[in-house]
Amino acid sequence: AIRRLHADGLERMRSLPGVESASSTIMLPLSGGYLGDGYVWPEGDDQPSDRGRPMVFFDRVGAGYLATMGASLRRGREFTERDDPTRAPVAVVNETFASRFWPAQEALGKRFRTSPTGPLIEIVGVVADGKYNSLGEDPQGHVYQPLRQGHAPSSFSFVRRSSSGVGSCV
């Protein structure tokens, strides 16, 4: 029922006059909260402990979220409706995350886990760093995962880009 509500809401928002794009997110940037922080295990890292690992932040977002929010996709691709539970897990990461885990290497195509024994998640895109918790924060690693590949969220926010150039959240 939540997935249907989400799909219906997006369809209605996209049909509004002046809306150029619309998507969704579990956690809006700079909203005072965050979906989660945690750790990652790059493919081949078999150490079970999270001790000494850098913390990264996670968000689940809908197809077209990065473009709707005006994020700068540096390499790779954004999520589409095809990134659903029937497909292999994917992620888009920011440049800080990419350089932290694969310095002087291309992060596209690299894989990681969010727990020592979790499924491998392939990086399909790299986006410019942004501000997630506060405007004054230092660059931090950030992972976006497709909303459709996770459990149905108990809450989410819609975001839109309008022809006036002003984005808004609903």
Side-chain angles (χ1 to χ4, degrees), residues 72-94:
S72 180
L73 186 65
R74 302 292 198 207
R75 295 179 300 287
R77 69 172 179 88
E78 181 165 2
F79 303 130
T80 70
E81 295 297 332
R82 293 179 50 122
D83 293 312
D84 64 25
T86 67
R87 307 277 178 170
V90 294
V92 172
V93 301
N94 71 358

Side-chain angles (χ1 to χ4, degrees), residues 51-107:
R51 180 180 219 115
R53 291 182 186 281
M55 185 173 290
V56 298
F57 290 90
F58 294 88
D59 195 2
R60 288 203 177 269
V61 301
Y65 174 81
L66 298 171
T68 299
M69 295 298 285
S72 180
L73 186 65
R74 302 292 198 207
R75 295 179 300 287
R77 69 172 179 88
E78 181 165 2
F79 303 130
T80 70
E81 295 297 332
R82 293 179 50 122
D83 293 312
D84 64 25
T86 67
R87 307 277 178 170
V90 294
V92 172
V93 301
N94 71 358
E95 291 175 312
T96 293
F97 180 98
S99 65
R100 182 175 291 152
F101 289 98
W102 296 282
Q105 295 181 40
E106 176 55 69

Side-chain angles (χ1 to χ4, degrees), residues 4-53:
R4 178 80 298 196
L5 174 69
H6 178 265
D8 290 347
L10 269 177
E11 185 177 318
R12 288 192 348 227
M13 182 171 291
R14 288 175 177 151
S15 70
L16 293 172
V19 172
E20 294 176 348
S21 65
S23 189
S24 56
T25 179
I26 297 294
M27 187 57 61
L28 292 167
L30 307 175
S31 65
Y34 229 74
L35 170 62
D37 52 12
Y39 306 96
V40 299
W41 284 256
E43 185 172 21
D45 182 344
D46 298 327
Q47 298 300 316
S49 173
D50 59 16
R51 180 180 219 115
R53 291 182 186 281

Side-chain angles (χ1 to χ4, degrees), residues 103-166:
Q105 295 181 40
E106 176 55 69
L108 281 179
K110 299 283 195 227
R111 300 187 312 171
F112 65 91
R113 292 179 166 89
T114 58
S115 69
T117 59
L120 285 168
I121 301 166
E122 182 179 349
I123 297 171
V124 296
V126 177
V127 69
D129 290 346
K131 299 297 183 180
Y132 309 104
N133 291 314
S134 73
L135 293 175
E137 70 190 21
D138 291 331
Q140 53 190 302
H142 192 83
V143 175
Y144 295 97
Q145 294 175 281
L147 190 64
R148 294 191 62 194
Q149 285 192 337
H151 299 292
S154 58
S155 66
F156 52 84
S157 297
F158 292 122
V159 294
R160 70 180 181 193
R161 179 169 293 280
S162 69
S163 57
S164 67
V166 177

